[in-house]
């Protein structure tokens, strides 16, 4: 299956720019474009964080439809040892890309031990959309993680569904110096 021209353009853009917030409308094929970019990239391993509902429906289905050359595994479910096994395989170079849910990544601090070259955050508003008691912790966790990875691309079809504050954590992940270091200062 081939890409549309706008998907090829998006894949080329992410290869040229190591850190971007991609605000591209829903249904335009962001996932396919990113998979094509990974297929051409030499920045491996890749950590892909996504909503659980899109992991199988989008990432896995499109991976097979595009007949990608890189090795991708999904790290979801319990027990935690199952996720750790996939992370270990990425650490050892046996897997090129790992797809996991945002909350699973938060619950697996061992994720910091893998020398990731690229982080892709699908539906990056998820950082802000999680329960309020977790928002600050999650934002700091993913901002810290993204600070250790050379290439970071956050994607969303609706980057600020509730308010402009939804942009803060997403932009902090791709460019930590763009805004004040605290969300409170950004809010002002």
């Amino acid at each position: 299956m081939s890409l549309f021209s706008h998907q090829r353009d998006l894949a080329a853009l992410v290869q040229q720019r190591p850190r971007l917030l991609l605000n591209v409308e829903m249904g335009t094929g962001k996932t396919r474009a990113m998979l094509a970019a990974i297929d051409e990239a030499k920045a491996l391993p890749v950590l892909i964080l996504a909503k659980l509902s899109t992991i199988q429906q989008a990432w896995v289905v499109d991976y097979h439809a595009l007949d990608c050359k890189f090795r991708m595994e999904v790290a979801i479910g319990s027990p935690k040892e199952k996720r750790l096994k996939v992370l270990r395989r990425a650490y050892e170079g046996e897997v090129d890309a790992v797809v996991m849910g945002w909350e699973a990544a938060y619950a697996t601090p061992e994720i910091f031990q893998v020398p990731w070259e690229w982080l892709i955050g699908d539906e990056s508003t998820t950082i802000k959309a999680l329960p309020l008691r977790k928002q600050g912790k999650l934002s700091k966790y993913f901002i810290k993680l993204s600070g250790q990875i050379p290439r970071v691309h956050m994607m969303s079809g609706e980057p600020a569904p509730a308010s402009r504050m939804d942009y803060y954590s997403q932009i902090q992940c791709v460019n930590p110096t763009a805004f004040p270091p605290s969300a409170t200062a950004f809010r002002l």
Side-chain angles (χ1 to χ4, degrees):
M1 182 169 289
S2 61
L3 298 175
F4 291 108
S5 63
H6 70 277
Q7 293 168 325
R8 285 191 301 274
D9 292 345
L10 183 57
L13 178 66
V14 299
Q15 288 173 349
Q16 294 168 5
R17 304 278 176 110
R19 299 176 87 82
L20 284 173
L21 174 59
L22 302 163
N23 299 329
V24 181
E25 288 190 41
M26 290 186 279
T28 56
K30 294 181 294 291
T31 303
R32 284 180 179 242
M34 296 306 285
L35 287 166
I38 295 168
D39 220 19
E40 297 298 321
K42 295 184 179 31
L44 302 170
V46 180
L47 174 62
I48 302 166
L49 302 177
K51 288 183 175 183
L52 288 177
S53 61
T54 66
I55 290 174
Q56 292 296 332
Q57 295 173 355
W59 288 97
V60 173
V61 168
D62 287 348
Y63 171 81
H64 292 294
L66 291 171
D67 196 27
C68 295
K69 296 177 291 225
F70 66 93
R71 301 163 297 173
M72 184 177 89
E73 286 192 23
V74 176
I76 58 174
S78 295
K80 181 179 177 180
E81 288 74 32
K82 187 176 173 183
R83 295 189 306 270
L84 291 176
K85 183 178 178 183
V86 176
L87 292 176
R88 196 171 305 109
R89 288 175 44 78
Y91 181 83
E92 293 170 356
E94 297 171 12
V95 174
D96 299 320
V98 173
V99 186
M100 64 191 310
W102 286 95
E103 288 202 58
Y106 179 70
T108 313
E110 294 84 354
I111 205 166
F112 284 87
Q113 296 172 6
V114 179
W116 304 108
E117 289 293 325
W118 194 351
L119 169 64
I120 297 171
D122 187 13
E123 294 307 329
S124 54
T125 53
T126 303
I127 299 171
K128 193 73 172 131
L130 292 165
L132 188 58
R133 68 185 186 285
K134 291 184 179 179
Q135 283 180 6
K137 291 178 185 176
L138 283 167
S139 294
K140 289 177 185 172
Y141 183 86
F142 291 114
I143 290 167
K144 179 180 175 185
L145 178 64
S146 66
Q148 298 178 1
I149 301 174
R151 300 182 63 79
V152 177
H153 293 96
M154 295 288 155
M155 309 181 334
S156 182
E158 192 176 10
S163 75
R164 70 184 185 103
M165 284 304 297
D166 292 344
Y167 286 113
Y168 182 78
S169 297
Q170 297 172 79
I171 292 174
Q172 284 292 97
C173 285
V174 296
N175 184 355
T177 61
F179 295 135
S182 78
T184 305
F186 174 73
R187 188 176 291 124
L188 298 176

